[in-house]
Structure formats: C-alpha cells, structure tokens
Amino acid sequence: MDKRSKIKVKTNWAFITTFVGMLFCCALQANFNNPTNNLLLKKIDSIPTKKIGSANLKALDTLSPFSKDSTPIAINDSIQKFDSLTISKDSIDAPISYEASDSGVLIIPTRDFYLYGKAKVSNKDVTLDAATIKYEQAKQVVQAYGALDTTGNPNSKPKLTQGETKTISDSILFSLKTLKGLTKNTYVQDGEMFVNAQVLKKVSADEFYGFKARFTTCNLDTPHFAFRARKIKMVTNMLAVSGPTSAEIESIPIPIGIPFGIYPLHQGRHSGVLAPAYAVSEDYGLGLEGLGYYKVVNDYLDITTRSNIYSYGGWTLNINPKYQKRYRYQGGLSLTFQNTKALNRASFGSYSKEEYNSTRSFMINWNHSQDQRVRPGTNLSANVNFGSTRYNTAVLNNPYVNFQNQLSSSVNYSKDFRGKANVSLNLNHSQNNNTHLVNLILPTMTASVVTFYPFQKKEQVGTPKWYEKLGVGYSGNFSNQVAFYDTAFRFKQLLDTLQWGATHSIPISIALPQLGPITISPSVSFEQKWYGQTITRSWNGKKVDTLIRKGFYTGSQVSFGISASTRIFGTYLFSKKSNVQAIRHEIRPSVSFSYKPDLASGSYYSTQVDTFKHFTRFSKFDGVIPGAYSEGNFGGISFGVDNLLEMKVKDKKDTSKPDATKKVKLIDGFGVNSSYNLLADSFALAPFQFYARSTLFSVINITASFTMDPYAVDEYGYRLKNYTWTTSNPTLGRITNGNIAVSTSFKSKSKDGKPDKDRIPKDPFMTPEEQQQQLQYARSNPAEYTDFNIPWTLSLSYSLSYTKQLQSDYSYANIITSSTNFNGDFSLTEKWKLGGTGYYDFNAAKLQQLSMFITREMHCWQLAINVSPIGLFRSFNITFSPKAGILRDLKINRSRYFSNY
C-alpha cells in the first residue's frame, strides 16, 4: 500500500455509532422483545444456528425486513395491522446492505452475528470492509478484524469509507452503549496530513487519545519525514495537543523537537498569524518579509495584512481586504505603503532618499465585478491601479513590476434600457512612471440610441419599401480631463489643466438589396463637438508661445458616403498524388465614395515654428478634448483589399478515411488601405496602411504593419508636394512607422498525457488581483512552480518598432526599438530541472534582465534555487520546503538582494 486512504477522524466513530442498524440489530431486538410481531418471529426462528453458505446467505438476506431485496409492501401491511406496534429508538432511517464472500453466522441464543471473508456492510454513504465483522447484541459491541494471506502478510484490514474519506486499522472495537471505542495501528488522512497511531481511543463523541502517534505529509508507508509524539489528544474540529514531539528523516530521529505542541484543526477559513521569510538585501539590510495577520470578519469579508521590515529602517505595509457575495458581486482592495531607506554607497552609513528610492510611496489596487444576474441590464465594474511613479522601482526582485512604466485604471457603470438605448459612466486614469505625468478622465458619460427605423410599419406585409429600411441612430460623449505631474502637484495648477468636451453624432443609414455578390450601403452622418477652451500658438521670435482661452466653442462636420464590398475566391488544384491538394486565395475588396465639406477651416491658421521659417498648420482645438476636425474638403475614394491564403493537405493522422484532408492557413490576412481626395489641390493621396498576420505551422505567430507615405520630405522632415517616385532617388514611398512581432513556443509531450487546460489550477473565487499577484510570484520564483511531467519547454519572442516622431521643438526624429524575450527549462534528470528567462535590448546592445533557476523534486519536499545575476535588482534565493500547503511555513529560506543603482 503506497498511499493512505482518506478520512477525517470524526467519521470513524460516527459510522460505528450507526452500526447497530447496519447489522439489523434493531430488527432482532424488536422481534425478540415484542411478542406482537409474530410474523417476523416465525421467519427468523426457522433459521438454523449453524454456518450458512454464501448461496444460502442471499436467502437469509431476503428474510430480513431491512434487506435491499425484501418486499417493503408486506412489511408496511403488517405495520398497518398492528396500530400498537412500538418503533425502537434505535431504528435506522436508510436501507442497509451487507455481503460476505465466505459465509455468515447468526447465533440466536447469544444474539451474535458474524460475517466471514471480505465482509462488507453499507449504509447511506458509509461502508465498512473487513475480513471479519462481529456484532454482539447483548453487549452492544462491534468488532472488525483483518486477516493474513498465505504468505503471512496482513490482508483485508478493516477499512471504513465515508464519501471520499477513508481510514485503515488492524482492528476496531466499539461499544454502542458507552459510545467508547478502541482501534489499533490506525492510518488516517485528513486533508494533506497523514496520521498513524498505534492505539487510538475514543472517550466521548468528540475527544480522542492517541498513543505512539506519527504524523506527516508524505504518503509513503515509510515516509521521508515525520513527527513523532508519544501521546496526543484530539478534539474534533477544534485542536490537537501533543506532548514532547521529535522529528525524523527516513525513520532516523534527528535532534530537533518541541516540548509540547498545539495544532489547530479548524476547517475552512479562520484567522491567524502569517509567518515571515528571512531575507538579506545589500541596500535594505536584514529583513523579515511577509509577516502579517489574516482576519476573517464575516462570511463575506476577510482582511489580509502583510509587512516587510528591514534593519536599515525601511518597511512596507500591505492591507488587502477581499469581499464576495456569491451570485451578487466580488472584489478586493489592496493598499500598499512603502518607506524606503537604502544604503548610500557613496557615503557608507548614510541613507539615500533621492533618485530611485523615494522616502514615501504608495500603491492602490481595487477590482470589483458584479454578477450579471443581480440586475440584468445594469453593470458596475472597476480595475484601479494608482500610486506613486517611484513605487515600482522599489519593489524587490520583481522585474515584471520594476520595468512596468505605465499604469491605468477604469471604473465603469452601464445601464441598458430594454435594448433601445444605453448609458455608461466611466472614470479613467493613466500615468507614465518615466515622465511622472498623470491623466485623470472623470467622468466620461456615453449615451447611445440603437438604430431605429421611423418609416418601418409595425406589421410587415409583403416586401418592404426601400425607405422603410432607413435607420437613424444617436451617440453622445461627454468627458472631463485633468493632468498633472506628481512630482510638482498643486491644486491650483490642477484646476488650470481642467478640460471638458462633448461629441454628438447622428448617423443615418439605409440597407439596400444586394446586387448579386456586391453589397451596397449608403450613409449620412452629422457630428458636432463642444469645447471648453482653445489653444493659440504664435512665434515670439525665439520660440512658440501658447495662449489658452476658456469658454464655450463648437465645431461641426457632415459627411455623405456610399460603400460597396464583395468576396472573390480562387483555387489552384494539385495532382491527387501530391500531399498538397489545393491552395485557395480569398480576396475581399472594398471601396467607398464619400464627401465631407470643409466646416473646420475657420479654426485653422499657420504659425512659424523655428528660426528656419518653417510654418505649420494648427487648429485652435489641437490639444483640446475631444480633438479637432481635419481641415479641407474631402470628396474622394477610400479603397482597401484584404486577402486570405489557405492550403488543403492530406491528413496522415486521420486513418478513418484514405483521402482525409485538413486545412492549413498560410496567411491569416494581409492587405492595404488608403484613400484619394478628388477635391484637394495637394496631398490628395493618403498614406497607405499595410498589414499582415500569420501563424506558420501552427507554431510561429507573426504580425506586421507599416505606414507608407507617397510624398517626399525636405532635409528637416517636412512633407513636400512631390511624390517619392518623381524625385532624383525614386522610391515607392516613405515608411513613417511600422512594427513587427514574432513569437513561438515549443514543448515536449507530457509524461502523464494530461492536456494543458487541466494543468492550470482554477479557483473561481480568486479575484483578478489575487491571480495577478500569484502570477507575479510564480514569475519571480519559477523554481517553485515547475512541472516535471514536461521534460522541456522553450518560448521566444521578438519585436521591432519604428516611428517618425514629432519632437517638442517641432522637428522630426526617427525612433527605433528592438528587443527579444526568451524563457525555457529542461530536465537534467527525472528529478533535476534547469531553466531561465531573460530580456535583451538591441538598442542598448545588452542583456537587461536574466533570471535562472534549478530545482530538485524530492517527492514530498522540494529544493528551489533562483538566481538573477542581471537586472535592476540582482538576487539569489534558496528554498527548501515541504510541498504540502499546511506546512508552507516550515521551510528553510535564504535570500539576498543587490541593486544596480
């Protein structure tokens, strides 16, 4: 037996208490003591007091009124005839079944009942298996024993099962009268804990005493480690108390022990202290990390408090309340305060409060979600991440947080009015940790009316007229915005940056019948924007000045359009002998004609921007929400084409059909979009937008896009009216921005054959913030989260981006970024695994982050070593800990951190 059976201690005696019913002792007692029940007496008296073979055992079973094969109607009829029949207090409330492979014995004079050979008795969800089961009616004692096989080894030990819990003993002795019992050499599993007691004595309904007990989380017969105590006492669902307790490894005692032990046995949530981990940092000093307290407030709310304390005076405090009301809402709040004090290396013994280590920093995270069934059509959700811009750089050994420079938040409330209209309120926030700029948009109100058809009849008869398909809609947006630098925050400046704006749009559309494969959709749209200020830029001879005027301003735009689209298919067939059967090309062209009069020319003007007398066109609404309309009339054509390329090949894995095939996508999509303004006197042709995406061999993901400007530029980067192919160095165009991303991942087949979805534990009650924290911890400590069933994994990604960006001095600069990420692991042996992850920046031409780990699988223990030699923080961590969650605080941990600033 490699693994112990599962059981909670309390279920052992609970089952035996009802065992009198299982052996139909109630029926025997009622028949022997109640002379009115003559019918039952006659049947039982006819049974001989000798061994009954297994064939006749079934006959005995049919005579019992409590047998699964008996006829309940006859018994009920008998009961109806005897109105004065007294029901025993020990009567059972559910059918009982019993069986034995050898024989059963019923001794009427002594009222003893025996089951021999793989005896089994079941009642409800409780089952008792043993080699021999005996019930003494006179003493009301139940006994169960095991047996030896032909080789002299134990066989058929008494095993008690209730639901998913089990216990195994050498023998069971229990008195139904005193409710006391005694078991010998009992193995019990309670959750992750395995307990073995040479003698286990029950003295009351909830109290037990154990002699020579051993408890461990290792499921082997000879555990790798265990704790031994000569005497223990357990109170069900309360606590266990032991005398002197010593530890042993591989059954060898080690000189580590405690004079006594108190072990809580509470099930479910309960408050308690959270043990810390020891750490050493070159900059922060010696520290205790994770020290805290978990408090259960009620069934819907709990609070987790954790802290980090360092010898140089720095500390971190995190308060994390979580709330959940099932089928209504759930969420969590995380408040973190940092007081950072790092050793100043330039002057040993002093403290640095500038640069990377701020004196005070904070972070607020809040998430909330509402069950859609609470109020259909109404929803409230929140995902808030707000804090000091220097907070992320002070988090130890977490490169994913250290290099996160963007923070954003959103709180959304929406209301749907029976599918005809909807309103939403949004609070949004964004901040850049590099520039220290914080933007708050609060609130933004959006209202929309679903397209309705004013000329449509309530009752349709025949083919509708064309004008009945005329639809009208509405959408509106109102927003407020403030911006400030958190390093120079002042309330007066905050009011100066306050902006507000609104947008109203009324689209009118009509659905015309298809002309064969072509779909035609005409449309008309009117839009108006409201502004709370204007910005005027002027040249003062040295630089550009800006002038802000507050007030109420409007801008309008009207557009008319008609669009057409279709799909074209082309297929190239190969010979039947070829593995490639066909290649299909799908083309999806679209073209639209639109006209937009120039209603925004009055807000545009030209201003000199440098000493070279370059002029730039500005709108007085540039930089003002909700944004400026484009200048000039537009009456032209917008066109685009999208393509899909896929291949049909023979499927060698499908053996059900000799000619089985499968589809393989070569290119998921590639195409181009642009437009031409027939009314413009210059720059009529708009830049071309190219894009492509593909998944090669179902493994390599590729996405790419770029913008090509057909017009040339001068030496300062300003556009000229000439096309690039008409210059002295003709080209098809000039790329102004673009990006490409390639990613792939490989891994070997798993040893256990489980799919990936079954390897990820899912907790439906875990909040998104908790999931993110768990993911960050796993990334920072990969050695503790390795899967030895997958021999090796490898993930690679590469990204390249290019843009021509307008600088603050109104000049253009080329910005190129390029980087790659890698992550992988492989098994050195079945018990050793090595892995690493890193980030390489091609712009800086150096490795920005590198983390490696090595781990050793030790059955019930695990050794994990994490090393980060390159990064904002350099660190190493060694952890030796049991795998069981209940012993997570019983670990040997050594951590050291070093900063590179």
Side-chain angles (χ1 to χ4, degrees), residues 214 223-229 245-257:
R214 180 185 68 188
H224 291 111
F225 78 101
F227 300 94
R228 286 190 177 272
T245 303
S246 61
E248 64 178 25
I249 298 178
E250 296 288 354
S251 300
I252 301 176
I254 59 175
I256 297 178

Side-chain angles (χ1 to χ4, degrees), residues 707-713 717-719 724 731-737 804:
T707 301
M708 180 178 290
D709 191 345
Y711 294 97
V713 295
Y718 289 90
R719 297 176 79 192
T724 57
T731 59
L732 293 177
R734 180 175 51 85
I735 297 178
T736 58
N737 63 75
K804 187 176 286 293

Side-chain angles (χ1 to χ4, degrees), residues 61-288:
D61 193 48
T62 60
L63 296 178
S64 171
F66 299 97
S67 170
K68 60 182 179 181
D69 296 329
S70 61
T71 304
I73 298 177
I75 298 174
N76 292 336
D77 291 342
S78 301
I79 294 176
Q80 291 175 1
K81 294 179 181 179
F82 299 98
D83 296 334
S84 61
L85 181 64
T86 303
I87 305 298
S88 172
K89 295 181 180 180
D90 296 332
S91 298
I92 58 175
D93 59 353
I96 298 172
S97 62
Y98 53 91
E99 61 184 49
S101 63
D102 181 75
S103 59
V105 174
L106 177 62
I107 303 176
I108 294 180
T110 60
R111 290 184 289 181
D112 294 343
F113 182 67
Y114 296 84
L115 290 175
Y116 294 101
K118 296 182 180 179
K120 181 178 180 180
V121 180
S122 300
N123 174 255
K124 295 184 179 180
D125 64 337
V126 185
T127 302
L128 176 62
D129 295 272
T132 303
I133 298 178
K134 175 185 177 182
Y135 173 68
E136 300 180 26
Q137 172 64 18
K139 299 180 180 179
Q140 294 191 11
V141 173
V142 176
Q143 301 179 49
Y145 303 97
L148 300 178
D149 58 16
T150 55
T151 62
N153 294 320
N155 186 26
S156 301
K157 286 188 175 184
K159 180 173 66 175
L160 188 65
T161 305
Q162 183 174 19
E164 297 181 356
T165 59
K166 299 178 181 179
T167 182
I168 300 175
S169 305
D170 285 354
S171 63
I172 296 176
L173 177 64
F174 181 71
S175 173
L176 298 173
K177 182 181 296 184
T178 62
L179 299 181
K180 296 182 180 180
L182 187 71
T183 65
K184 294 184 178 181
N185 195 22
T186 302
Y187 292 90
V188 181
Q189 180 183 355
D190 189 354
E192 296 177 302
M193 183 67 71
F194 297 89
V195 181
N196 171 234
Q198 294 299 317
V199 179
L200 193 64
K201 183 179 180 181
K202 178 180 183 296
V203 297
S204 66
D206 298 319
E207 293 184 72
F208 308 85
Y209 287 91
F211 178 68
K212 290 186 177 181
R214 180 185 68 188
F215 41 97
T216 179
T217 58
C218 183
N219 60 3
L220 299 181
D221 285 339
T222 303
H224 291 111
F225 78 101
F227 300 94
R228 286 190 177 272
R230 184 174 178 83
K231 296 180 180 180
I232 61 171
K233 178 182 178 179
M234 294 176 288
V235 181
T236 304
N237 287 333
M238 289 187 61
L239 80 163
V241 181
S242 71
T245 303
S246 61
E248 64 178 25
I249 298 178
E250 296 288 354
S251 300
I252 301 176
I254 59 175
I256 297 178
I258 54 177
F260 65 92
I262 300 176
Y263 318 95
L265 298 179
H266 295 286
Q267 300 293 326
R269 301 186 310 158
H270 55 276
S271 303
V273 177
L274 302 176
Y278 175 72
V280 178
S281 172
E282 183 183 32
D283 300 278
Y284 298 160
L286 305 179
L288 294 177

Side-chain angles (χ1 to χ4, degrees), residues 423-442:
V423 176
S424 66
L425 291 174
N426 296 275
L427 307 178
N428 297 284
H429 144 265
S430 65
Q431 68 183 82
N432 188 300
N433 291 344
N434 287 333
T435 63
H436 301 277
L437 179 62
V438 180
N439 290 295
L440 299 177
I441 302 176
L442 52 138

